[in-house]
Amino acid sequence: MLMNITPLCDCWGFSTPPLVPDVGIVACDDIVAIEQVSLDLIKAENLIPGTLPDQFCPPGDSGHLFQRIHGKDPYEQVRKAADAGLGSPEYTLVEVE
């Protein structure tokens, strides 16, 4: 479920406003594809204005939203999981309404 996405894990015991609009629910039997599509759907340009301090949103900045917040490439776990043979990052997105 890609809903109420916040900068920190909800296991921290407190909440902040969501960073992006709710994306929806993704399903697949391949965990690597799920991670890939989830990251792809949470794009920096979908950031809800005012939900992050300005230093995370400098004009012209690029890169994935999570990389801008945490300073780490969020796709690294996808690459490592694929390299370990846990699945493939390839997917076909089919919208269901």
Side-chain angles (χ1 to χ4, degrees):
M1 298 179 127
L2 300 174
M3 301 167 75
N4 296 316
I5 297 167
T6 61
L8 300 172
C9 174
D10 57 7
C11 63
W12 280 59
F14 62 89
S15 183
T16 59
L19 296 172
V20 295
D22 287 345
V23 175
I25 300 170
V26 294
C28 183
D29 61 359
D30 184 331
I31 190 63
V32 179
I34 287 284
E35 290 294 319
Q36 180 74 43
V37 73
S38 295
L39 289 171
D40 289 350
L41 290 171
I42 303 167
K43 297 178 289 192
E45 59 266 28
N46 289 340
L47 176 67
I48 297 171
T51 58
L52 279 178
D54 291 340
Q55 66 264 28
F56 291 117
C57 306
D61 192 16
S62 62
H64 195 279
L65 177 59
F66 290 159
Q67 185 164 0
R68 290 168 41 198
I69 294 170
H70 301 292
K72 298 176 183 162
D73 180 0
Y75 289 99
E76 183 63 22
Q77 70 182 18
V78 174
R79 289 189 292 274
K80 294 296 184 185
D83 289 348
L86 299 177
S88 169
E90 301 299 319
Y91 64 87
T92 301
L93 189 61
V94 177
E95 282 192 51
V96 178
E97 292 191 32

